[in-house]
Amino acid sequence: MTVYHAILLAGYALNALMIIFLLFFEENNSVHRFTWILLLGFLPLVGVLCYILFSGNFFTRTKRMLRANQKANNHFAKTIETQERNLDTIMQSGRSEVLEDYGSLIRMNMRYGRSPLLSKNSVRLFRTGEEKFQALFAEIQRAKESVHLSYFIINNDETGKELIRILARKASEGVTVRFLYDHVGSLFTSRKLFKPLIRAGGKVSRFFPLSLINPFSINYRNHRKIVVIDGMCGYFGGMNVGDEYANRNNARNYFWRDLHVRITGPAVRILQKQFLVDWYTSTIDESSLLEKLPIESFFPESAGHLTNEEVPFPPDGETRNVAMQVVTAGPDDNRNDEIRDAMIHMITRAKKSVYIESPYFTPDESFRMALKIAALSGIDVQIIVPGQWDKWYCRLAAMPYVSELMSYGVRFWFYNGFIHSKMLVIDNIISTIGSTNMDTRSFSLHFELNAFFYSDEFGQRCGHIFMENRAESREVTEDFFRSASIFRKGLWNFFKLFAPLM
């Protein structure tokens, strides 16, 4: 037997062992397992490599991440323990009907998402990149102590260069600047972009950097978008850094609608906590371990900060005294999908309406079942997806799910352009906004962050935004699917097979 035949035989043996593992030991749902078995059957050796890279069962976390998470979570553990012990009293105090009605969701996010309930936050929404970047850049320029940023994508374009110029200026003034970006999300962004910031004393790091030696983290990316300024002001949501988010990219012939959040108040501490975990997981400075640092120093109790009048905010105004929880999820805890499960819980509590905006729509079976049950129960379930998609294969994979849910009474709308916002609103009372798309990748494979808001006033604001976006959309009808050719339907169903991997 030649060496070639020996290697080939070993490869097929490994392929057979992988199929046996999937049949008897894989704990994911049957659809997920069948997809991998199908791939292993059609592409025996390639399928093994794809399973290791993309299944979510290997190389999803590091020891440094585990230690950093433990240190950060311990900082808030007593607060959560006290709140959970007193939650029944808080719910029955009569201070807030919202907290009383949704106490089960709050408790779930405390136990499962390890997130305390934090009140008295001020919240402001940005619907376009133009608004967000104008306000964000102005606030960064007024920073006194620190600027922490984490983005999935930063492009080497005018918007990206402008941000780096501002950060470099602040770093040269002595402000601590830390910039974390995802290596795969920004794969085509040259390190040269960050040279001015690094020369000025800023620190830059990549999340789960890829290499030929260790390519196995390619599928587990940091999709969060976090900015914390002086520990007192935070930004998060759907927008990365690039001209396309600000509708400055002439190569795109459609309007880009998005949603981003700016908060002040106690909840900023959770954004800071998550940034620190991600930063000290990723930095190559071995002496900078979060478990060795006084984490309390990153959470100032009070500090002077700019007034709203100094920042060019959009005219819609902010909502004050908002109670909220910030929940994170990721493949480092591959048995749990904290954000998805909290969304499902929200849907099951709906009495009148469920409104969703998402740029991609290939949700797993449990999420679809929640929507199906809500629609069949008479709940008004409406979902806005893009009319023009930035990823053609995601559109093809989404269509079978749209058709299926429409048959149960869910109404879908195609936005006249590309809508990148990620929002779920229940009864115009509670809502969640963040980085999580309604797809399996966000639910199970990406590191994500969402805030859950408990406020009538803010819920009505989110519902109003949904209706405004719906007015700029066209409803999807049964004729759209009936008129589709056999070839197009076949293409939809083919790409649906790979939806769990998208």
Side-chain angles (χ1 to χ4, degrees), residues 114-155:
R114 298 175 295 280
S115 176
L117 176 68
L118 300 171
S119 303
K120 298 182 180 179
N121 299 284
S122 295
V123 185
R124 188 180 294 272
L125 294 175
F126 302 94
R127 298 178 63 196
T128 66
E130 298 95 318
E131 294 175 346
K132 176 230 175 173
F133 291 126
Q134 188 178 23
L136 175 63
F137 291 174
E139 290 214 75
I140 291 175
Q141 293 182 72
R142 290 162 173 77
K144 303 298 183 183
E145 297 177 2
S146 64
V147 182
H148 293 162
L149 308 95
S150 175
Y151 278 101
F152 179 59
I153 296 172
I154 177 171
N155 289 329

mmCIF file of all heavy atoms in Angstrom, residues 114-155:
data_model
loop_
_atom_site.group_PDB
_atom_site.id
_atom_site.type_symbol
_atom_site.label_atom_id
_atom_site.label_comp_id
_atom_site.label_asym_id
_atom_site.label_seq_id
_atom_site.Cartn_x
_atom_site.Cartn_y
_atom_site.Cartn_z
ATOM 1 N N ARG A 114 -27.062 36.193 33.018
ATOM 2 C CA ARG A 114 -26.177 36.793 34.020
ATOM 3 C C ARG A 114 -26.155 38.320 33.900
ATOM 4 O O ARG A 114 -25.112 38.968 33.941
ATOM 5 C CB ARG A 114 -24.750 36.225 33.885
ATOM 6 C CG ARG A 114 -24.668 34.734 34.122
ATOM 7 C CD ARG A 114 -23.293 34.185 33.857
ATOM 8 N NE ARG A 114 -22.921 34.309 32.444
ATOM 9 C CZ ARG A 114 -23.324 33.475 31.484
ATOM 10 N NH1 ARG A 114 -24.103 32.461 31.788
ATOM 11 N NH2 ARG A 114 -22.940 33.650 30.240
ATOM 12 N N SER A 115 -27.362 38.891 33.768
ATOM 13 C CA SER A 115 -27.474 40.328 33.570
ATOM 14 C C SER A 115 -28.348 40.958 34.643
ATOM 15 O O SER A 115 -29.520 40.588 34.794
ATOM 16 C CB SER A 115 -28.066 40.636 32.191
ATOM 17 O OG SER A 115 -28.266 42.021 32.018
ATOM 18 N N PRO A 116 -27.830 41.917 35.387
ATOM 19 C CA PRO A 116 -28.666 42.611 36.375
ATOM 20 C C PRO A 116 -29.654 43.549 35.695
ATOM 21 O O PRO A 116 -29.461 43.961 34.542
ATOM 22 C CB PRO A 116 -27.642 43.402 37.202
ATOM 23 C CG PRO A 116 -26.507 43.655 36.251
ATOM 24 C CD PRO A 116 -26.445 42.434 35.371
ATOM 25 N N LEU A 117 -30.718 43.885 36.397
ATOM 26 C CA LEU A 117 -31.684 44.883 35.931
ATOM 27 C C LEU A 117 -31.199 46.241 36.411
ATOM 28 O O LEU A 117 -31.052 46.467 37.613
ATOM 29 C CB LEU A 117 -33.076 44.582 36.484
ATOM 30 C CG LEU A 117 -34.162 45.615 36.147
ATOM 31 C CD1 LEU A 117 -34.476 45.580 34.656
ATOM 32 C CD2 LEU A 117 -35.420 45.343 36.967
ATOM 33 N N LEU A 118 -30.962 47.145 35.463
ATOM 34 C CA LEU A 118 -30.420 48.455 35.795
ATOM 35 C C LEU A 118 -31.373 49.538 35.334
ATOM 36 O O LEU A 118 -31.780 49.575 34.170
ATOM 37 C CB LEU A 118 -29.044 48.633 35.138
ATOM 38 C CG LEU A 118 -28.007 47.588 35.600
ATOM 39 C CD1 LEU A 118 -26.752 47.666 34.767
ATOM 40 C CD2 LEU A 118 -27.685 47.765 37.080
ATOM 41 N N SER A 119 -31.741 50.421 36.249
ATOM 42 C CA SER A 119 -32.750 51.452 35.976
ATOM 43 C C SER A 119 -32.097 52.821 35.802
ATOM 44 O O SER A 119 -30.882 52.979 35.914
ATOM 45 C CB SER A 119 -33.761 51.505 37.124
ATOM 46 O OG SER A 119 -34.373 50.246 37.314
ATOM 47 N N LYS A 120 -32.944 53.790 35.508
ATOM 48 C CA LYS A 120 -32.541 55.193 35.398
ATOM 49 C C LYS A 120 -31.492 55.414 34.311
ATOM 50 O O LYS A 120 -30.536 56.177 34.480
ATOM 51 C CB LYS A 120 -32.033 55.714 36.743
ATOM 52 C CG LYS A 120 -33.103 55.680 37.832
ATOM 53 C CD LYS A 120 -32.600 56.249 39.141
ATOM 54 C CE LYS A 120 -33.685 56.211 40.202
ATOM 55 N NZ LYS A 120 -33.232 56.744 41.503
ATOM 56 N N ASN A 121 -31.673 54.718 33.176
ATOM 57 C CA ASN A 121 -30.820 54.945 32.019
ATOM 58 C C ASN A 121 -31.498 55.906 31.046
ATOM 59 O O ASN A 121 -32.733 55.925 30.934
ATOM 60 C CB ASN A 121 -30.536 53.626 31.304
ATOM 61 C CG ASN A 121 -29.816 52.634 32.181
ATOM 62 O OD1 ASN A 121 -28.621 52.748 32.420
ATOM 63 N ND2 ASN A 121 -30.564 51.645 32.701
ATOM 64 N N SER A 122 -30.701 56.689 30.359
ATOM 65 C CA SER A 122 -31.198 57.538 29.279
ATOM 66 C C SER A 122 -30.790 56.911 27.957
ATOM 67 O O SER A 122 -29.621 56.528 27.779
ATOM 68 C CB SER A 122 -30.628 58.958 29.391
ATOM 69 O OG SER A 122 -31.099 59.584 30.560
ATOM 70 N N VAL A 123 -31.754 56.805 27.029
ATOM 71 C CA VAL A 123 -31.532 56.055 25.791
ATOM 72 C C VAL A 123 -31.880 56.926 24.596
ATOM 73 O O VAL A 123 -32.921 57.603 24.579
ATOM 74 C CB VAL A 123 -32.398 54.769 25.758
ATOM 75 C CG1 VAL A 123 -32.073 53.937 24.521
ATOM 76 C CG2 VAL A 123 -32.189 53.945 27.027
ATOM 77 N N ARG A 124 -31.025 56.894 23.596
ATOM 78 C CA ARG A 124 -31.250 57.640 22.358
ATOM 79 C C ARG A 124 -30.988 56.713 21.179
ATOM 80 O O ARG A 124 -30.064 55.884 21.219
ATOM 81 C CB ARG A 124 -30.316 58.852 22.296
ATOM 82 C CG ARG A 124 -30.607 59.801 21.145
ATOM 83 C CD ARG A 124 -29.631 60.967 21.165
ATOM 84 N NE ARG A 124 -29.809 61.812 22.324
ATOM 85 C CZ ARG A 124 -30.647 62.846 22.383
ATOM 86 N NH1 ARG A 124 -31.405 63.133 21.337
ATOM 87 N NH2 ARG A 124 -30.745 63.578 23.466
ATOM 88 N N LEU A 125 -31.801 56.834 20.131
ATOM 89 C CA LEU A 125 -31.696 55.975 18.957
ATOM 90 C C LEU A 125 -31.193 56.751 17.748
ATOM 91 O O LEU A 125 -31.540 57.917 17.544
ATOM 92 C CB LEU A 125 -33.058 55.352 18.624
ATOM 93 C CG LEU A 125 -33.620 54.370 19.650
ATOM 94 C CD1 LEU A 125 -35.030 53.933 19.254
ATOM 95 C CD2 LEU A 125 -32.715 53.151 19.783
ATOM 96 N N PHE A 126 -30.387 56.059 16.933
ATOM 97 C CA PHE A 126 -29.921 56.590 15.651
ATOM 98 C C PHE A 126 -30.381 55.641 14.555
ATOM 99 O O PHE A 126 -30.109 54.439 14.620
ATOM 100 C CB PHE A 126 -28.395 56.692 15.623
ATOM 101 C CG PHE A 126 -27.813 57.541 16.713
ATOM 102 C CD1 PHE A 126 -27.375 56.960 17.899
ATOM 103 C CD2 PHE A 126 -27.700 58.902 16.559
ATOM 104 C CE1 PHE A 126 -26.834 57.720 18.905
ATOM 105 C CE2 PHE A 126 -27.154 59.692 17.571
ATOM 106 C CZ PHE A 126 -26.725 59.099 18.748
ATOM 107 N N ARG A 127 -31.026 56.185 13.541
ATOM 108 C CA ARG A 127 -31.567 55.356 12.463
ATOM 109 C C ARG A 127 -30.706 55.383 11.214
ATOM 110 O O ARG A 127 -30.942 54.600 10.291
ATOM 111 C CB ARG A 127 -32.988 55.808 12.127
ATOM 112 C CG ARG A 127 -33.958 55.665 13.299
ATOM 113 C CD ARG A 127 -35.329 56.164 12.935
ATOM 114 N NE ARG A 127 -35.897 55.379 11.857
ATOM 115 C CZ ARG A 127 -36.937 55.764 11.125
ATOM 116 N NH1 ARG A 127 -37.493 56.948 11.333
ATOM 117 N NH2 ARG A 127 -37.411 54.997 10.167
ATOM 118 N N THR A 128 -29.740 56.267 11.164
ATOM 119 C CA THR A 128 -28.829 56.326 10.026
ATOM 120 C C THR A 128 -27.400 56.471 10.526
ATOM 121 O O THR A 128 -27.152 56.992 11.625
ATOM 122 C CB THR A 128 -29.139 57.521 9.096
ATOM 123 O OG1 THR A 128 -28.876 58.749 9.788
ATOM 124 C CG2 THR A 128 -30.593 57.483 8.631
ATOM 125 N N GLY A 129 -26.475 56.030 9.697
ATOM 126 C CA GLY A 129 -25.077 56.176 10.051
ATOM 127 C C GLY A 129 -24.640 57.620 10.107
ATOM 128 O O GLY A 129 -23.764 57.986 10.905
ATOM 129 N N GLU A 130 -25.251 58.464 9.264
ATOM 130 C CA GLU A 130 -24.911 59.874 9.287
ATOM 131 C C GLU A 130 -25.124 60.459 10.683
ATOM 132 O O GLU A 130 -24.268 61.168 11.219
ATOM 133 C CB GLU A 130 -25.764 60.651 8.267
ATOM 134 C CG GLU A 130 -25.551 60.229 6.822
ATOM 135 C CD GLU A 130 -26.564 59.201 6.351
ATOM 136 O OE1 GLU A 130 -26.877 58.272 7.133
ATOM 137 O OE2 GLU A 130 -27.042 59.318 5.218
ATOM 138 N N GLU A 131 -26.274 60.138 11.292
ATOM 139 C CA GLU A 131 -26.584 60.646 12.634
ATOM 140 C C GLU A 131 -25.643 60.053 13.679
ATOM 141 O O GLU A 131 -25.120 60.759 14.536
ATOM 142 C CB GLU A 131 -28.026 60.292 12.994
ATOM 143 C CG GLU A 131 -29.085 60.968 12.148
ATOM 144 C CD GLU A 131 -30.488 60.473 12.475
ATOM 145 O OE1 GLU A 131 -30.613 59.424 13.150
ATOM 146 O OE2 GLU A 131 -31.450 61.144 12.061
ATOM 147 N N LYS A 132 -25.437 58.748 13.587
ATOM 148 C CA LYS A 132 -24.619 58.070 14.601
ATOM 149 C C LYS A 132 -23.177 58.559 14.593
ATOM 150 O O LYS A 132 -22.607 58.894 15.646
ATOM 151 C CB LYS A 132 -24.661 56.566 14.375
ATOM 152 C CG LYS A 132 -23.755 55.780 15.341
ATOM 153 C CD LYS A 132 -22.860 54.814 14.623
ATOM 154 C CE LYS A 132 -21.880 54.140 15.570
ATOM 155 N NZ LYS A 132 -21.106 53.075 14.928
ATOM 156 N N PHE A 133 -22.561 58.609 13.420
ATOM 157 C CA PHE A 133 -21.153 58.984 13.366
ATOM 158 C C PHE A 133 -20.946 60.448 13.755
ATOM 159 O O PHE A 133 -19.952 60.788 14.403
ATOM 160 C CB PHE A 133 -20.586 58.713 11.969
ATOM 161 C CG PHE A 133 -20.489 57.251 11.648
ATOM 162 C CD1 PHE A 133 -21.072 56.728 10.511
ATOM 163 C CD2 PHE A 133 -19.812 56.385 12.493
ATOM 164 C CE1 PHE A 133 -20.998 55.382 10.213
ATOM 165 C CE2 PHE A 133 -19.720 55.023 12.216
ATOM 166 C CZ PHE A 133 -20.319 54.531 11.068
ATOM 167 N N GLN A 134 -21.877 61.303 13.398
ATOM 168 C CA GLN A 134 -21.751 62.707 13.773
ATOM 169 C C GLN A 134 -21.739 62.863 15.291
ATOM 170 O O GLN A 134 -20.894 63.582 15.854
ATOM 171 C CB GLN A 134 -22.903 63.516 13.160
ATOM 172 C CG GLN A 134 -22.751 65.012 13.326
ATOM 173 C CD GLN A 134 -23.884 65.796 12.673
ATOM 174 O OE1 GLN A 134 -24.977 65.264 12.456
ATOM 175 N NE2 GLN A 134 -23.643 67.047 12.353
ATOM 176 N N ALA A 135 -22.652 62.174 15.961
ATOM 177 C CA ALA A 135 -22.717 62.252 17.427
ATOM 178 C C ALA A 135 -21.538 61.534 18.073
ATOM 179 O O ALA A 135 -20.918 62.050 19.015
ATOM 180 C CB ALA A 135 -24.033 61.657 17.916
ATOM 181 N N LEU A 136 -21.213 60.332 17.572
ATOM 182 C CA LEU A 136 -20.128 59.553 18.168
ATOM 183 C C LEU A 136 -18.798 60.280 18.052
ATOM 184 O O LEU A 136 -18.038 60.374 19.036
ATOM 185 C CB LEU A 136 -20.042 58.186 17.475
ATOM 186 C CG LEU A 136 -18.876 57.289 17.904
ATOM 187 C CD1 LEU A 136 -18.989 56.915 19.373
ATOM 188 C CD2 LEU A 136 -18.808 56.038 17.033
ATOM 189 N N PHE A 137 -18.495 60.802 16.893
ATOM 190 C CA PHE A 137 -17.219 61.487 16.711
ATOM 191 C C PHE A 137 -17.136 62.709 17.622
ATOM 192 O O PHE A 137 -16.070 63.016 18.174
ATOM 193 C CB PHE A 137 -17.047 61.904 15.253
ATOM 194 C CG PHE A 137 -16.853 60.731 14.305
ATOM 195 C CD1 PHE A 137 -16.803 60.937 12.934
ATOM 196 C CD2 PHE A 137 -16.722 59.444 14.776
ATOM 197 C CE1 PHE A 137 -16.627 59.879 12.052
ATOM 198 C CE2 PHE A 137 -16.544 58.370 13.908
ATOM 199 C CZ PHE A 137 -16.497 58.589 12.543
ATOM 200 N N ALA A 138 -18.251 63.416 17.779
ATOM 201 C CA ALA A 138 -18.248 64.588 18.654
ATOM 202 C C ALA A 138 -17.997 64.181 20.108
ATOM 203 O O ALA A 138 -17.249 64.862 20.827
ATOM 204 C CB ALA A 138 -19.576 65.334 18.534
ATOM 205 N N GLU A 139 -18.602 63.078 20.545
ATOM 206 C CA GLU A 139 -18.398 62.647 21.936
ATOM 207 C C GLU A 139 -16.986 62.142 22.168
ATOM 208 O O GLU A 139 -16.399 62.369 23.238
ATOM 209 C CB GLU A 139 -19.418 61.556 22.287
ATOM 210 C CG GLU A 139 -20.840 62.080 22.384
ATOM 211 C CD GLU A 139 -21.644 61.355 23.445
ATOM 212 O OE1 GLU A 139 -21.434 61.612 24.645
ATOM 213 O OE2 GLU A 139 -22.494 60.528 23.053
ATOM 214 N N ILE A 140 -16.415 61.444 21.199
ATOM 215 C CA ILE A 140 -15.039 60.970 21.349
ATOM 216 C C ILE A 140 -14.086 62.155 21.502
ATOM 217 O O ILE A 140 -13.157 62.130 22.317
ATOM 218 C CB ILE A 140 -14.636 60.085 20.152
ATOM 219 C CG1 ILE A 140 -15.413 58.753 20.178
ATOM 220 C CG2 ILE A 140 -13.134 59.807 20.170
ATOM 221 C CD1 ILE A 140 -15.171 57.874 18.976
ATOM 222 N N GLN A 141 -14.325 63.212 20.738
ATOM 223 C CA GLN A 141 -13.446 64.377 20.804
ATOM 224 C C GLN A 141 -13.512 65.070 22.157
ATOM 225 O O GLN A 141 -12.603 65.832 22.509
ATOM 226 C CB GLN A 141 -13.800 65.345 19.683
ATOM 227 C CG GLN A 141 -13.477 64.788 18.297
ATOM 228 C CD GLN A 141 -13.779 65.777 17.184
ATOM 229 O OE1 GLN A 141 -13.069 66.768 17.005
ATOM 230 N NE2 GLN A 141 -14.827 65.506 16.435
ATOM 231 N N ARG A 142 -14.559 64.806 22.940
ATOM 232 C CA ARG A 142 -14.694 65.402 24.265
ATOM 233 C C ARG A 142 -14.263 64.448 25.384
ATOM 234 O O ARG A 142 -14.408 64.766 26.563
ATOM 235 C CB ARG A 142 -16.146 65.843 24.487
ATOM 236 C CG ARG A 142 -16.541 67.043 23.631
ATOM 237 C CD ARG A 142 -18.048 67.184 23.545
ATOM 238 N NE ARG A 142 -18.456 68.416 22.870
ATOM 239 C CZ ARG A 142 -18.427 68.599 21.559
ATOM 240 N NH1 ARG A 142 -18.019 67.611 20.768
ATOM 241 N NH2 ARG A 142 -18.801 69.737 21.015
ATOM 242 N N ALA A 143 -13.758 63.265 25.009
ATOM 243 C CA ALA A 143 -13.336 62.285 26.011
ATOM 244 C C ALA A 143 -12.184 62.831 26.845
ATOM 245 O O ALA A 143 -11.294 63.525 26.342
ATOM 246 C CB ALA A 143 -12.917 60.991 25.327
ATOM 247 N N LYS A 144 -12.203 62.498 28.149
ATOM 248 C CA LYS A 144 -11.187 62.978 29.075
ATOM 249 C C LYS A 144 -10.244 61.876 29.546
ATOM 250 O O LYS A 144 -9.067 62.133 29.825
ATOM 251 C CB LYS A 144 -11.859 63.610 30.302
ATOM 252 C CG LYS A 144 -12.815 64.761 29.987
ATOM 253 C CD LYS A 144 -12.117 65.923 29.333
ATOM 254 C CE LYS A 144 -13.088 67.079 29.091
ATOM 255 N NZ LYS A 144 -12.432 68.206 28.376
ATOM 256 N N GLU A 145 -10.756 60.633 29.646
ATOM 257 C CA GLU A 145 -9.951 59.581 30.258
ATOM 258 C C GLU A 145 -9.747 58.378 29.332
ATOM 259 O O GLU A 145 -8.617 57.910 29.165
ATOM 260 C CB GLU A 145 -10.606 59.118 31.561
ATOM 261 C CG GLU A 145 -10.699 60.211 32.617
ATOM 262 C CD GLU A 145 -11.413 59.726 33.863
ATOM 263 O OE1 GLU A 145 -11.794 58.541 33.907
ATOM 264 O OE2 GLU A 145 -11.605 60.538 34.789
ATOM 265 N N SER A 146 -10.823 57.839 28.747
ATOM 266 C CA SER A 146 -10.666 56.605 27.976
ATOM 267 C C SER A 146 -11.729 56.510 26.889
ATOM 268 O O SER A 146 -12.837 57.035 27.037
ATOM 269 C CB SER A 146 -10.763 55.376 28.892
ATOM 270 O OG SER A 146 -12.065 55.292 29.473
ATOM 271 N N VAL A 147 -11.353 55.829 25.809
ATOM 272 C CA VAL A 147 -12.282 55.478 24.744
ATOM 273 C C VAL A 147 -12.044 54.019 24.398
ATOM 274 O O VAL A 147 -10.940 53.641 23.983
ATOM 275 C CB VAL A 147 -12.090 56.350 23.480
ATOM 276 C CG1 VAL A 147 -13.124 55.972 22.426
ATOM 277 C CG2 VAL A 147 -12.184 57.826 23.809
ATOM 278 N N HIS A 148 -13.048 53.198 24.581
ATOM 279 C CA HIS A 148 -12.975 51.778 24.262
ATOM 280 C C HIS A 148 -13.913 51.488 23.099
ATOM 281 O O HIS A 148 -15.098 51.840 23.157
ATOM 282 C CB HIS A 148 -13.387 50.925 25.468
ATOM 283 C CG HIS A 148 -12.432 51.007 26.613
ATOM 284 N ND1 HIS A 148 -12.759 50.626 27.899
ATOM 285 C CD2 HIS A 148 -11.139 51.424 26.667
ATOM 286 C CE1 HIS A 148 -11.719 50.808 28.687
ATOM 287 N NE2 HIS A 148 -10.722 51.286 27.973
ATOM 288 N N LEU A 149 -13.398 50.841 22.059
ATOM 289 C CA LEU A 149 -14.200 50.537 20.875
ATOM 290 C C LEU A 149 -14.001 49.093 20.457
ATOM 291 O O LEU A 149 -12.875 48.576 20.461
ATOM 292 C CB LEU A 149 -13.815 51.441 19.696
ATOM 293 C CG LEU A 149 -13.788 52.951 19.918
ATOM 294 C CD1 LEU A 149 -12.367 53.409 20.255
ATOM 295 C CD2 LEU A 149 -14.287 53.696 18.688
ATOM 296 N N SER A 150 -15.095 48.440 20.088
ATOM 297 C CA SER A 150 -15.060 47.082 19.553
ATOM 298 C C SER A 150 -16.022 47.014 18.379
ATOM 299 O O SER A 150 -17.222 47.276 18.544
ATOM 300 C CB SER A 150 -15.460 46.068 20.627
ATOM 301 O OG SER A 150 -15.543 44.762 20.080
ATOM 302 N N TYR A 151 -15.503 46.650 17.199
ATOM 303 C CA TYR A 151 -16.332 46.586 16.004
ATOM 304 C C TYR A 151 -16.047 45.305 15.231
ATOM 305 O O TYR A 151 -14.907 44.820 15.194
ATOM 306 C CB TYR A 151 -16.083 47.786 15.091
ATOM 307 C CG TYR A 151 -16.843 49.028 15.501
ATOM 308 C CD1 TYR A 151 -16.216 50.061 16.192
ATOM 309 C CD2 TYR A 151 -18.187 49.160 15.197
ATOM 310 C CE1 TYR A 151 -16.910 51.194 16.568
ATOM 311 C CE2 TYR A 151 -18.899 50.292 15.573
ATOM 312 C CZ TYR A 151 -18.258 51.307 16.254
ATOM 313 O OH TYR A 151 -18.962 52.420 16.634
ATOM 314 N N PHE A 152 -17.094 44.789 14.617
ATOM 315 C CA PHE A 152 -16.963 43.636 13.731
ATOM 316 C C PHE A 152 -16.259 44.040 12.440
ATOM 317 O O PHE A 152 -15.373 43.342 11.947
ATOM 318 C CB PHE A 152 -18.361 43.079 13.427
ATOM 319 C CG PHE A 152 -18.378 41.891 12.499
ATOM 320 C CD1 PHE A 152 -17.701 40.724 12.809
ATOM 321 C CD2 PHE A 152 -19.102 41.938 11.314
ATOM 322 C CE1 PHE A 152 -17.726 39.625 11.959
ATOM 323 C CE2 PHE A 152 -19.139 40.854 10.456
ATOM 324 C CZ PHE A 152 -18.449 39.696 10.778
ATOM 325 N N ILE A 153 -16.638 45.186 11.893
ATOM 326 C CA ILE A 153 -16.065 45.680 10.646
ATOM 327 C C ILE A 153 -15.620 47.121 10.822
ATOM 328 O O ILE A 153 -16.362 47.949 11.352
ATOM 329 C CB ILE A 153 -17.090 45.614 9.487
ATOM 330 C CG1 ILE A 153 -17.474 44.162 9.174
ATOM 331 C CG2 ILE A 153 -16.533 46.285 8.232
ATOM 332 C CD1 ILE A 153 -18.622 44.050 8.180
ATOM 333 N N ILE A 154 -14.415 47.410 10.392
ATOM 334 C CA ILE A 154 -13.991 48.786 10.162
ATOM 335 C C ILE A 154 -13.354 48.811 8.779
ATOM 336 O O ILE A 154 -12.441 48.026 8.487
ATOM 337 C CB ILE A 154 -13.018 49.320 11.235
ATOM 338 C CG1 ILE A 154 -12.566 50.743 10.853
ATOM 339 C CG2 ILE A 154 -11.852 48.386 11.483
ATOM 340 C CD1 ILE A 154 -11.786 51.471 11.924
ATOM 341 N N ASN A 155 -13.873 49.650 7.918
ATOM 342 C CA ASN A 155 -13.385 49.722 6.545
ATOM 343 C C ASN A 155 -12.332 50.804 6.398
ATOM 344 O O ASN A 155 -12.355 51.833 7.086
ATOM 345 C CB ASN A 155 -14.544 50.003 5.584
ATOM 346 C CG ASN A 155 -15.469 48.810 5.436
ATOM 347 O OD1 ASN A 155 -15.049 47.662 5.541
ATOM 348 N ND2 ASN A 155 -16.742 49.078 5.207
#
